[in-house]
Amino acid sequence: MAAQPGHAPPLHDHGTWAVVASIEGKEKETMCRRNDDGAKPGYADLEQGTDGIMTAGKVSCLLTGDIHTVCNVSDGISLSLHTYGKHVNYTDRSQFDPETKSAKPFIVSID
């Protein structure tokens, strides 16, 4: 995936495990913990967890249910390789807004 400087997707999960390898640039990865049990549709109570910096050669391993976002904090394009346990068109990915405590489907169509 290539990202312009300042680009950051919303907080999200992947609906499966994921391995993200940084190839070029510098990205800040922010992890969050879910405090609720996920039983209430459309609701998520999140707490910010750890931050880390991804640079060339670093790898982030995410388990099913892990919630994170990344932001390109470099002056140029960042580049990373994403590997998922399932095709992302066939997972129950969610995006989260910690201010409104909301969760909704995060649909990314990949052909």
Side-chain angles (χ1 to χ4, degrees):
M1 181 171 120
Q4 295 291 329
H7 176 264
L11 283 166
H12 62 278
D13 62 14
H14 294 107
T16 185
W17 58 264
V19 177
V20 180
S22 181
I23 297 169
E24 186 176 318
K26 183 176 175 182
E27 293 183 332
K28 177 182 172 186
E29 180 178 43
T30 300
M31 302 295 297
C32 284
R33 287 183 293 277
R34 190 166 187 164
N35 294 324
D36 65 296
D37 63 4
K40 183 178 176 184
Y43 177 81
D45 180 21
L46 301 182
E47 177 181 338
Q48 185 173 335
T50 59
D51 287 334
I53 299 295
M54 298 289 294
T55 55
K58 298 233 175 165
V59 175
S60 177
C61 298
L62 301 140
L63 300 174
T64 302
D66 284 351
I67 298 169
H68 79 141
T69 189
V70 292
C71 179
N72 179 357
V73 294
S74 60
D75 293 332
I77 291 175
S78 63
L79 186 62
S80 55
L81 175 65
H82 297 233
T83 303
Y84 303 105
K86 296 179 184 175
H87 191 295
V88 295
N89 286 355
Y90 302 99
T91 66
D92 292 323
R93 289 171 50 123
S94 296
Q95 66 183 31
F96 303 92
D97 183 337
E99 290 184 22
T100 62
K101 296 189 176 189
S102 63
K104 64 182 181 181
F106 187 24
I107 299 170
V108 176
S109 182
I110 298 175
D111 297 325

